[in-house]
Amino acid sequence: MTVEQAQEVLTVEAEGITAVRDALGEEFVRAVDLIMDCPSRLVISGIGKSGLVGQKISATLNSTGTPSFFLHPVEAMHGDLGMVSATDIVLAISYSGETSELNLLLESLKNRSVQIIAMTGNDKSTLARYAAVTLNVAVPREACPLGLAPTTSTTATLALGDALAVSLLRRKRFREEDFRRNHPGGSLGERLKVAVQEVMLTGDKVPQIRKEATLEQAVAELNKKNIGAVLVVEDSNKLCGILTDGDLRRHLLEEKWLEKGSGAAESRKHISDVMTRHPVTISGELMAADALSLMQSKDITVLAVVGEENSVQGLLHLHDLLGKGEFRFLI
């Protein structure tokens, strides 16, 4: 009996989603157009079960390229209304369309000339009258046998929110790599599918120095950038070598620098006398997984990223793939 009851609930909820699907029309297109033209954010508001659904819709929008945040109607009327700007759009959710706390907020929003999209099961409601666009989420019946607990209606509202997010995703031409960029805490396998050029260090963050520089100047750059290596370049920013912390330690031991007391003389050496020539490099167009594999095979933690004619594009550190920055572990 229990299984049959569960199947009945799912059947009723499926019927609700079908009803909302069949009711879709130009209002949905207008809602998408309105959000696409919004220069700032989509603010979602609702209370009770509708508020919980709104929070999930907001999270889905954020991860698929539409900036959004959830605003609780009561908190809004006690100061949080300041989070909403005149250029924002508000998506207000209430199945009855007569939620007093939400409608009180909507009055304040209208006074600020904020445009409102309603998601309601009653297109004749107060909420619908406030709205520039109304999305109808009316369902034939609730799955709750008492007809009291929001069940089918919240499922249908959530599904319509997904439809809105996916429609916006497609209009924005949101790509798989954009999604991964918004999910840096995902599984390592997924995170390593991005291109090296998306995670490498660039510009002033890259420790590099001219090959005519002294060892003292190279050490200063090592300390300043704190990456554990400095790239050595010549004309046209062409890579000609690399100096790592390990290279520096080995050189000092070989030269018996400390024993001879010749630190001053050593520091004036040119970096080209100490650097590793022809360092391991990678193209920025390859995948982060390729970079990790190369680092493991060569037993190194730093990779120079180069383009045409060996010109330096950036620098990739093992930490950028596994333990720091955009690819941090969430523990």
Side-chain angles (χ1 to χ4, degrees):
M1 184 62 178
T2 302
V3 172
E4 286 79 5
Q5 290 173 340
Q7 290 173 334
E8 173 63 17
V9 169
L10 295 175
T11 297
V12 172
E13 298 214 350
E15 290 172 353
I17 293 177
T18 299
V20 172
R21 181 199 66 188
D22 293 344
L24 283 181
E26 285 303 311
E27 289 286 287
F28 186 83
V29 177
R30 287 181 58 201
V32 172
D33 289 341
L34 202 59
I35 297 169
M36 284 293 297
D37 292 338
C38 176
S40 49
R41 302 157 301 176
L42 179 62
V43 183
I44 300 181
S45 191
I47 200 164
K49 305 298 187 297
S50 293
L52 295 173
V53 169
Q55 291 178 56
K56 192 276 177 183
I57 294 174
S58 177
T60 300
L61 287 164
N62 278 321
S63 67
T64 53
T66 301
S68 168
F69 70 87
F70 178 79
L71 179 67
H72 193 285
V74 176
E75 296 297 334
M77 299 307 294
H78 290 272
D80 282 1
L81 188 56
M83 299 166 63
V84 183
S85 72
T87 57
D88 291 333
I89 292 174
V90 171
L91 172 62
I93 305 172
S94 169
Y95 190 73
S96 69
E98 299 297 345
T99 305
S100 58
E101 297 92 341
L102 182 60
N103 288 343
L104 184 62
L105 168 62
L106 298 180
E107 186 175 340
S108 298
L109 292 172
K110 289 293 285 186
N111 291 336
R112 295 180 175 215
S113 300
V114 175
Q115 295 198 77
I116 297 167
I117 299 172
M119 199 175 279
T120 179
N122 181 2
D123 59 7
K124 307 297 183 185
S125 63
T126 302
L127 170 56
R129 289 198 300 272
Y130 274 119
V133 178
T134 298
L135 301 178
N136 195 336
V137 291
V139 296
R141 55 179 172 149
E142 297 286 5
C144 169
L146 302 177
L148 299 175
T151 45
T152 307
S153 58
T154 49
T155 300
T157 302
L158 189 61
L160 186 57
D162 287 341
L164 191 61
V166 173
S167 297
L168 289 164
L169 175 154
R170 288 175 171 167
R171 282 280 296 274
K172 293 171 181 280
R173 297 184 179 179
F174 193 77
R175 302 165 300 171
E176 187 176 354
E177 51 265 41
D178 299 320
F179 184 86
R180 291 199 188 96
R181 193 178 297 113
N182 288 344
H183 294 75
S187 69
L188 179 60
E190 285 299 307
R191 294 184 314 222
L192 292 178
K193 291 179 182 178
V194 301
V196 167
Q197 60 194 5
E198 293 188 44
V199 293
M200 68 184 183
L201 298 174
T202 59
D204 292 339
K205 294 181 180 179
V206 178
Q208 65 181 53
I209 201 164
R210 298 280 301 176
K211 68 176 182 179
E212 298 85 7
T214 64
L215 184 56
E216 181 179 18
Q217 291 171 322
V219 171
E221 181 73 355
L222 273 171
N223 289 335
K224 180 181 178 183
K225 301 297 173 65
N226 198 30
I227 302 298
V230 57
L231 302 183
V232 185
V233 298
E234 52 188 355
D235 293 340
S236 302
N237 208 38
K238 183 177 179 181
L239 182 70
C240 61
I242 189 171
L243 179 72
T244 67
D245 286 338
D247 291 332
L248 183 59
R249 288 194 301 271
R250 284 187 291 273
H251 173 72
L252 297 181
L253 287 173
E254 289 170 3
E255 296 295 320
K256 294 185 172 53
W257 183 17
L258 298 178
E259 293 179 18
K260 294 159 62 173
S262 56
E266 285 290 321
S267 67
R268 287 193 295 271
K269 273 191 173 182
H270 284 113
I271 191 172
S272 57
D273 297 326
V274 183
M275 69 183 186
T276 297
R277 299 178 183 274
H278 311 298
V280 179
T281 63
I282 192 169
S283 166
E285 296 178 356
L286 293 178
M287 294 291 99
D290 298 319
L292 181 60
S293 177
L294 183 57
M295 287 179 178
Q296 290 175 329
S297 66
K298 299 294 184 179
D299 196 23
I300 57 177
T301 59
V302 177
L303 270 177
V305 184
V306 297
E308 294 182 1
E309 298 184 356
N310 217 35
S311 61
V312 173
Q313 290 186 332
L315 182 73
L316 186 66
H317 194 285
L318 183 63
H319 286 171
D320 297 316
L321 299 177
L322 301 181
K324 177 171 132 177
E326 223 173 301
F327 285 141
R328 62 191 181 280
F329 282 132
L330 301 183
I331 299 175

